[in-house]
Amino acid sequence: METGGIKLGSRELGDSRFQLGTNQSGMRAHNERLVFSLLRQHGSLAKSDIARMTKLSAQTVSVIMRELEQDGLLLREEPIRGKIGQPSVPMSLDPEGAFFLGLKIGRRSAELVLIDFVGTVRAMLHSSYLYPAPDATMIFARDGIRSLRANLSPEQDRRIAGLGIAMPFEIWNWADTVGAPRGAMDQWRSLDIRAELQAELGFPVYLQNDATSACGAELVFGRIGGLRNFIYFYIGAFAGGGVVLNGRLYGGPTGNAGALGSMPVPGVDGRPAQLIDVASIAILELALKRQGRDATFLWTSPQDWGEVGPELDRWIERAADALAYAIVSASAVIDFEAAVIDGWMPASIRTRLVETVATALRGIDVEGLAVPQVREGTVGIHARALGGASLPLSERFLLGGSTPSKEA
């Protein structure tokens, strides 16, 4: 089919666990996605390597690679000459082959990012606010998309393959928590931002929960090695996360699987609380405000918070304890290989948090459970925006796609 200027195969993929190609006719789309996925994973591969990995015939691989190269999606690299036979010619994804937009709408800030086919950030826009007002958010999105596209050549603009929106589901429920006028936040109930933008754009628009999108960014762009099954926590203004099973982002029938912010954990007073009420950065913000301090830096300077003081130490200890219990609870249901923690915070703070979680886990009775390894996320503060951009990339080019994302 022909969509958004990018030539794709003719059939959608079914089961993402099926990692072999097929030489049967009518399966071009599956085989193309398989090639793209392998090249994303390995960087560059020769046709012979792809044929060996996929069990496709050399002729089938040759036809696929030639057509994808002609479509401007693959690059031919310098030949590697051996002692015997013809030189091997590695192929890689062409960064100019496709472009993707990602829009993150958070409780305290919005971001708009443009990435290329290999995931390199070409441009990013940022807006901080006290709360996400619908009208102002739409203006930021429309003006930002227009601005980013204005800096592209006509050919690059033709190759925009989609926009992914990462935002909290039912965002109007957070009016009291973010200190926003309830009437203003209620306007989100009647605003279908995906449909509004889809009506104005000539490429697909997708929508996903912001924390789940961050999990998707770790899956697509992160340095996860061979991880196939992991639970993911993103600590932003509010804590959330996602679940990856069999190398695929899992959202469940309603898209709410991995709603980790709602997980019950021990609260500050020992009574049950939700993870979101203990591990969120909004809790640290509240503690700082109670001390009469300006906490704006938490949202405007995520790379460097400076000297925060004892409030940060207490927050890390309590958040880590809650995260440890959440990890153990999740491990009683699914045997995860790892628990990955990332967030809107400096890398040094993330390291402290992960180390404290690992320590807290050693104090919990886990008899009968295999506790996953606790690891730092590798994408960082922009994971939600990049996760938004990963939605069209995954849905249109990679094996499996992102089950819970929504498209027109």
Side-chain angles (χ1 to χ4, degrees), residues 198-242:
Q198 180 66 88
E200 302 170 9
L201 300 172
F203 41 77
V205 179
Y206 303 82
L207 176 68
Q208 180 52 271
N209 173 270
D210 57 338
T212 305
S213 295
C215 182
E218 187 70 30
L219 178 63
V220 175
F221 304 122
R223 300 184 298 276
I224 61 173
L227 286 183
R228 299 278 297 166
N229 302 281
F230 62 90
I231 187 169
Y232 175 92
F233 296 89
Y234 188 87
I235 309 302
F238 298 108

Side-chain angles (χ1 to χ4, degrees), residues 73-259:
L73 296 169
L74 300 184
L75 280 178
R76 184 181 298 264
E77 299 186 352
E78 289 295 322
I80 300 176
R81 301 187 181 279
K83 296 181 179 180
I84 303 176
Q86 295 294 320
S88 174
V89 182
M91 303 288 286
S92 62
L93 299 178
D94 187 340
E96 297 283 320
F99 294 88
F100 311 91
L101 291 161
L103 172 64
K104 180 214 80 174
I105 302 171
R107 280 83 169 186
R108 295 292 191 222
S109 65
E111 290 180 308
L112 184 66
V113 64
L114 173 72
I115 66 171
D116 62 25
F117 203 17
V118 298
T120 301
V121 176
R122 294 295 186 95
M124 178 174 286
L125 302 173
H126 179 86
S127 173
S128 296
Y129 41 65
L130 294 177
Y131 63 89
D135 291 344
T137 301
M138 286 298 299
I139 291 173
F140 172 76
R142 289 189 174 108
D143 290 351
I145 292 171
R146 189 179 304 112
S147 174
L148 294 182
R149 297 182 70 179
N151 292 320
L152 297 177
S153 70
E155 176 62 16
Q156 289 174 324
D157 188 71
R158 187 183 72 83
R159 289 181 172 271
I160 295 178
L163 163 69
I165 304 171
M167 65 178 293
F169 289 160
E170 298 185 358
I171 192 172
W172 51 85
N173 288 329
W174 301 102
D176 294 338
T177 310
V178 299
R182 182 168 294 278
M185 293 298 287
D186 276 345
Q187 294 175 22
W188 282 106
R189 295 178 184 270
S190 58
L191 174 63
D192 186 341
I193 189 171
R194 190 209 60 77
E196 291 278 345
L197 292 174
Q198 180 66 88
E200 302 170 9
L201 300 172
F203 41 77
V205 179
Y206 303 82
L207 176 68
Q208 180 52 271
N209 173 270
D210 57 338
T212 305
S213 295
C215 182
E218 187 70 30
L219 178 63
V220 175
F221 304 122
R223 300 184 298 276
I224 61 173
L227 286 183
R228 299 278 297 166
N229 302 281
F230 62 90
I231 187 169
Y232 175 92
F233 296 89
Y234 188 87
I235 309 302
F238 298 108
V243 171
V244 171
L245 298 177
N246 297 314
R248 181 172 182 173
L249 189 63
Y250 179 75
T254 66
N256 284 321

